[in-house]
Amino acid sequence: MALSPTLCAATAASRREAAVSRMPRLAHREVMLALAHQMEARLGPRLLPSEVPADVAWFGDGAVPGAALGSVDVHGGAPGSSIDFMLEAWFHRALPTGGAIDITSLVVFLNGTTDAPHFLMELIQGGPSSLVVLLDLFPRRDLPVHPDYIDKYYGATGVDAHRINIEKIPQVRPYVSPSLLVRSLWSPTAVVVDVQCGEGKEAVLEEIVRGQLAQSAVELLDVWLQKCAGSVVEMEETEKESLVARDKMISTTSVKLNLSANLPKIFDKHVSDRVVAEIDKAFRGP
């Protein structure tokens, strides 16, 4: 007998909570989890229940228990909504030289009913007192030829204040991606920084994460939920098809291929293959 949507949602949520509870406790992961909860609550019926299999909702490998752990959750958008999908991903890998790398991602893509920006946040902690922060309303138009788009989503909303405030923090410096393609995709208001607090300064990093970073992330999410998530924009069919094709190209070349290249470095191939395949389903769409 098939489970009801309510029971499926409860089962998926319980499974996700159990998975996340087994991950190492980190300030940035707790901030991201709070954002994900807020997003799910605000989007409500616009999200479908998660159908991620158990071995992707929680997975681990390696000879040492707890050395490599991960959790991925995906919600598709409900029919008639502007949501394409919502992706949460959490990866932890202990390093042979000591320490660990922890990657936390929260991504929401919109569909062809609107040209509003996607929401993207990724936090990469490569040491106890260092963190790379990627936070943006990810543009879906080529901005130089759409100045009205810049005004609507970035100028009128005041989101550049978050970049300015975070870049004022003494421990923050710009992060420069080695990929020229990735560098070309961010909005001019994106927070793309490397936080380096120095040896033994874990408490300083936590203060930054729970302070200015958390505040900016919550406020940026609120802008996205108000101005983007429910947006409907009238477009010609050819324009809509071009927009969706652009989304697919960007996700394929920058997001999906990045995961395909890097997850095998964190997990065994049989684990990374099934996780990448599930993430691929989200970005590929129906």
Side-chain angles (χ1 to χ4, degrees), residues 63-126:
V64 181
L69 307 171
S71 176
V72 171
D73 196 32
V74 180
H75 292 268
S81 81
S82 61
I83 307 298
D84 189 4
F85 67 88
M86 172 179 170
L87 168 71
E88 300 168 57
W90 326 78
F91 307 119
H92 166 81
R93 177 75 190 195
L95 301 175
T97 54
I101 183 167
D102 287 272
I103 303 172
T104 303
S105 301
L106 178 61
V107 179
V108 189
F109 266 41
L110 300 175
N111 59 31
T113 62
T114 180
D115 65 354
H118 305 311
F119 182 89
L120 187 150
M121 185 174 186
E122 184 167 59
L123 303 171
I124 306 167
Q125 186 164 355

Side-chain angles (χ1 to χ4, degrees):
M1 182 173 63
L3 297 175
S4 71
T6 301
L7 186 55
C8 285
T11 301
S14 175
R15 188 172 59 193
R16 193 270 304 273
E17 292 297 334
V20 172
S21 70
R22 297 169 68 182
M23 301 291 279
R25 294 183 63 84
L26 295 168
H28 82 257
R29 185 170 288 128
E30 292 176 6
V31 167
M32 185 77 85
L33 189 58
L35 255 65
H37 282 315
Q38 181 182 346
M39 186 172 284
E40 290 178 20
R42 295 273 295 273
L43 293 177
R46 286 179 280 178
L47 292 175
L48 294 173
S50 173
E51 296 183 351
V52 170
D55 62 358
V56 173
W58 167 256
F59 51 93
D61 70 357
V64 181
L69 307 171
S71 176
V72 171
D73 196 32
V74 180
H75 292 268
S81 81
S82 61
I83 307 298
D84 189 4
F85 67 88
M86 172 179 170
L87 168 71
E88 300 168 57
W90 326 78
F91 307 119
H92 166 81
R93 177 75 190 195
L95 301 175
T97 54
I101 183 167
D102 287 272
I103 303 172
T104 303
S105 301
L106 178 61
V107 179
V108 189
F109 266 41
L110 300 175
N111 59 31
T113 62
T114 180
D115 65 354
H118 305 311
F119 182 89
L120 187 150
M121 185 174 186
E122 184 167 59
L123 303 171
I124 306 167
Q125 186 164 355
S129 57
S130 65
L131 183 71
V132 171
V133 179
L134 312 173
L135 174 64
D136 197 17
L137 300 185
F138 202 67
R140 300 174 68 200
R141 295 285 193 180
D142 296 315
L143 298 183
V145 294
H146 292 280
D148 54 330
Y149 190 92
I150 299 175
D151 292 338
K152 180 178 181 180
Y153 293 113
Y154 303 103
T157 58
V159 294
D160 199 35
H162 301 300
R163 178 193 61 80
I164 294 169
N165 290 336
I166 288 176
E167 289 183 354
K168 287 179 179 178
I169 298 172
Q171 295 82 4
V172 165
R173 63 191 186 193
Y175 172 74
V176 180
S177 169
S179 168
L180 295 175
L181 173 63
V182 169
R183 285 189 236 166
S184 73
L185 299 177
W186 301 102
S187 82
T189 67
V191 176
V192 185
V193 298
D194 184 10
V195 187
Q196 293 288 341
C197 297
E199 187 175 354
K201 299 294 181 65
E202 293 90 338
V204 176
L205 178 63
E206 181 164 345
E207 182 179 353
I208 292 170
V209 170
R210 296 189 186 278
Q212 183 62 60
L213 178 58
Q215 179 182 338
S216 289
V218 168
E219 292 178 5
L220 189 67
L221 176 60
D222 191 58
V223 169
W224 184 84
L225 287 166
Q226 291 190 42
K227 304 294 185 182
C228 305
S231 170
V232 175
V233 176
E234 293 293 331
M235 290 180 279
E236 297 288 341
E237 195 60 33
T238 54
E239 185 181 15
K240 183 184 296 186
E241 291 174 357
S242 176
L243 185 76
V244 172
R246 183 182 185 276
D247 284 343
K248 300 293 185 188
M249 181 276 294
I250 289 174
S251 65
T252 298
T253 56
S254 67
V255 182
K256 189 184 71 178
L257 291 184
N258 183 54
L259 288 168
S260 299
N262 290 312
L263 279 186
K265 299 175 184 177
I266 302 176
F267 301 100
D268 291 341
K269 187 176 186 303
H270 71 283
V271 174
S272 62
D273 282 353
R274 71 170 183 262
V275 174
V276 169
E278 196 66 28
I279 294 172
D280 181 39
K281 283 167 56 179
F283 284 104
R284 188 175 66 244

